[in-house]
Amino acid sequence: MNIKKIREDFPALERERNGRRPIYFDNACVTLKPRQVIMAMDEYYENFPACGGKGRSAHWFSQEVKEAAEKARRAVKEFINAKSSDEIIWTKNTTESINIIANCFELNRGDAVLTTDKEHNSNLVPWIELESRRGVVHKIVESNNDNTFNMERFEEMMGEDVKLVSMVHTSNLDGYTNPAREIIKIAHDYGAKVMLDGAQSVPHKEVDVQKLDVDFLGFSIHKMAGPSGVGVLYGKKDELKKLGRYTVGGDTVKDTFYDRAVFESPPYLFEAGLQNYAGQIGAGAAVEYLSKIGMGNISKHEETLNKFITEGLLEHEEIDIIGPDDPSKRSGIISFRMVKDDGTSLISPGDIARLLDRNLNIMIRSGDHCVHSWFNARGIGVSGSARASLYIYNTKEEGEVFLSGIDRLIKSLN
């Protein structure tokens, strides 16, 4: 993988401030965009900014948009190895994808949904809402002490009352990837369906929905070199047909009368109104870009960088890394705190992020990373952690600058 050539595709990396180029380590939040994606979206706005969808209009602009958007749907289908393009639903993001399942999957009072204790708010709050409004039981599978998945505990919690398992695939907190295939098999043995939050897995490693045998999968294009405002909900064709309706109106119906509507089948049933066609086209360009690089190459590159940075961080006794000690189990995420001997904070994660940004143009994330519940359960609260997250364009040289910044910061505190 030619990192130097890849970096040339990302115009944001060419910017300078105070004579320094940016070091972008906030990829778990949003990734940068390559020229190939930007150009694909520009083509829409320049050449055919028209209605697309199922071909609302008969003219050639509209038909071009329809063809381009459906080509993008097919690209996503190939990217995750779905059986059919009809299993790919365009959404705004992972959050909307999960909310569609929360609102449309048949769950009655007393039915149980299982999640982990490391869920992003997008895969926590919908189930809290269902518990309060409809009497659905929300059960949480607690992780092992090192934040890895406790399979024994999960099996003990499974039962006939569990109708849905909705779990993060790769955690945005610590980068750990849950053993999805084994989880799905056990869930299916009990007759439950499985929804995976793939926001941090699909952009960083090969995810094959047929090999996993997962029922539903959501992910966001803005975390995988694509535009914001576009997400995907994958669902097995037969399972999508069983879902209730979500947002209805234009493009979700085949015909209407004053007293009834004849609804479309998935995926169009869930794609109400004028869509973000430029974003969908950009999504197609993004998955094609990543496919050419190779998802195996991407995951290997991130793990190599993680190992290098982790080893450097752990030279300081003040550094406490969240998650497994082995960096190969944390994908491209390094979530850490600077602590005193008694475990209290030496410096807030927010101050770490601000100082790295101000002094070295290093951009990381700080705070609770939308996993407030995990931090609150451990008494860490709003301070959260600092999080460096890596992607295809990050380099060992950038890692060295990051480590030098951490080293200087720790020396200034002692």
Side-chain angles (χ1 to χ4, degrees):
M1 196 165 76
N2 189 335
I3 305 300
K4 182 179 179 181
K5 188 173 186 303
I6 288 172
R7 287 176 65 85
E8 292 173 356
D9 291 335
F10 292 83
L13 294 175
E14 298 172 2
R15 298 185 63 187
E16 287 191 7
R17 185 183 66 168
N18 300 327
R20 288 181 176 271
R21 290 286 176 89
I23 295 177
Y24 189 78
F25 279 6
D26 194 17
N27 296 286
C29 181
V30 180
T31 58
L32 306 179
K33 322 303 177 195
R35 286 185 173 86
Q36 291 86 336
V37 171
I38 297 167
M39 289 170 62
M41 296 176 68
D42 283 349
E43 184 181 6
Y44 167 82
Y45 286 116
E46 290 177 358
N47 295 331
F48 39 76
C51 294
K54 301 186 297 298
R56 287 190 179 200
S57 303
H59 57 70
W60 58 288
F61 276 17
S62 179
Q63 294 305 309
E64 282 185 337
V65 177
K66 174 186 175 182
E67 290 167 11
E70 290 306 318
K71 178 185 176 184
R73 195 192 301 270
R74 291 192 297 272
V76 173
K77 173 250 182 190
E78 293 295 328
F79 190 70
I80 62 171
N81 194 31
K83 285 184 179 180
S84 168
S85 296
D86 290 343
E87 296 177 322
I88 305 300
I89 296 167
W90 295 115
T91 64
K92 293 195 295 292
N93 41 46
T94 309
T95 302
E96 185 177 44
S97 299
I98 295 171
N99 271 271
I100 289 174
I101 299 304
N103 285 276
C104 300
F105 188 85
E106 184 178 357
L107 290 167
N108 301 309
R109 181 173 295 275
D111 290 342
V113 176
L114 256 61
T115 69
T116 72
D117 59 353
K118 295 194 299 181
E119 300 300 336
H120 189 285
N121 287 333
S122 296
N123 197 34
L124 171 64
V125 179
W127 312 117
I128 293 174
E129 285 287 286
L130 285 188
E131 192 166 40
S132 64
R133 289 192 288 108
R134 287 167 43 188
V136 171
V137 179
H138 175 214
K139 297 182 179 181
I140 297 173
V141 181
E142 293 185 8
S143 301
N144 294 314
N145 291 335
D146 64 353
N147 260 17
T148 57
F149 189 77
N150 191 316
M151 189 66 72
E152 183 178 346
R153 191 170 292 154
F154 168 66
E155 289 193 64
E156 289 174 353
M157 295 179 70
M158 286 300 301
E160 292 183 359
D161 62 325
V162 178
K163 304 301 181 185
L164 182 68
V165 174
S166 187
M167 291 189 175
V168 64
H169 192 189
T170 298
S171 169
N172 78 309
L173 170 66
D174 59 13
Y176 174 74
T177 299
N178 284 322
R181 195 169 183 178
E182 292 86 345
I183 290 169
I184 292 164
K185 185 182 184 306
I186 292 169
H188 286 172
D189 287 344
Y190 281 89
K193 304 302 178 183
V194 179
M195 167 77 195
L196 283 183
D197 171 359
Q200 298 296 337
S201 60
V202 175
H204 300 279
K205 53 176 60 71
E206 180 184 342
V207 175
D208 186 321
V209 293
Q210 292 192 65
K211 285 183 181 178
L212 289 174
D213 196 25
V214 67
D215 302 293
F216 307 104
L217 170 75
F219 54 98
S220 296
I221 301 298
H222 69 267
K223 296 181 186 293
M224 47 193 294
S228 58
V230 188
V232 171
L233 171 62
Y234 157 81
K236 290 179 179 176
K237 201 167 185 177
D238 289 343
E239 297 302 328
L240 290 178
K241 290 178 180 178
K242 297 175 187 176
L243 297 179
R245 292 186 282 274
Y246 190 54
T247 304
V248 295
D251 278 351
T252 66
V253 293
K254 296 177 181 178
D255 201 0
T256 59
F257 304 86
Y258 286 128
D259 60 346
R260 68 188 188 281
V262 182
F263 287 95
E264 284 280 4
S265 299
Y268 305 112
L269 176 62
F270 298 98
E271 296 175 356
L274 194 70
Q275 295 288 295
N276 181 1
Y277 303 119
Q280 293 171 8
I281 292 166
V287 299
E288 288 173 359
Y289 181 85
L290 296 179
S291 295
K292 286 179 182 177
I293 295 172
M295 299 310 295
N297 292 328
I298 293 171
S299 59
K300 183 178 180 181
H301 173 66
E302 291 177 8
E303 287 180 11
T304 300
L305 277 181
N306 192 330
K307 183 175 186 292
F308 172 73
I309 293 172
T310 294
E311 289 174 351
L313 286 175
L314 291 181
E315 290 179 2
H316 304 282
E317 61 182 13
E318 296 89 347
I319 297 292
D320 175 37
I321 293 179
I322 296 172
D325 294 333
D326 184 354
S328 69
K329 293 182 179 180
R330 287 187 278 103
S331 185
I333 290 178
I334 308 132
S335 191
F336 66 98
R337 300 168 66 230
M338 290 187 187
V339 297
K340 302 175 185 176
D341 291 339
D342 61 2
T344 58
S345 181
L346 180 64
I347 179 175
S348 76
D351 284 339
I352 296 172
R354 281 185 286 273
L355 289 167
L356 290 175
D357 177 58
R358 185 178 70 191
N359 297 331
L360 296 168
N361 284 356
I362 299 173
M363 298 175 232
I364 65 171
R365 178 83 181 269
S366 62
D368 292 288
H369 320 304
C370 296
V371 197
H372 300 74
S373 53
W374 188 90
F375 287 101
N376 286 329
R378 285 151 185 80
I380 300 173
V382 295
S383 62
S385 71
R387 184 186 69 189
S389 51
L390 313 169
Y391 210 35
I392 47 178
Y393 35 69
N394 293 129
T395 66
K396 181 180 178 182
E397 290 74 22
E398 290 180 324
E400 289 171 345
V401 176
F402 171 76
L403 290 173
S404 71
I406 294 295
D407 182 61
R408 279 187 283 176
L409 181 55
I410 290 176
K411 286 178 179 177
S412 72
L413 296 170
N414 291 329

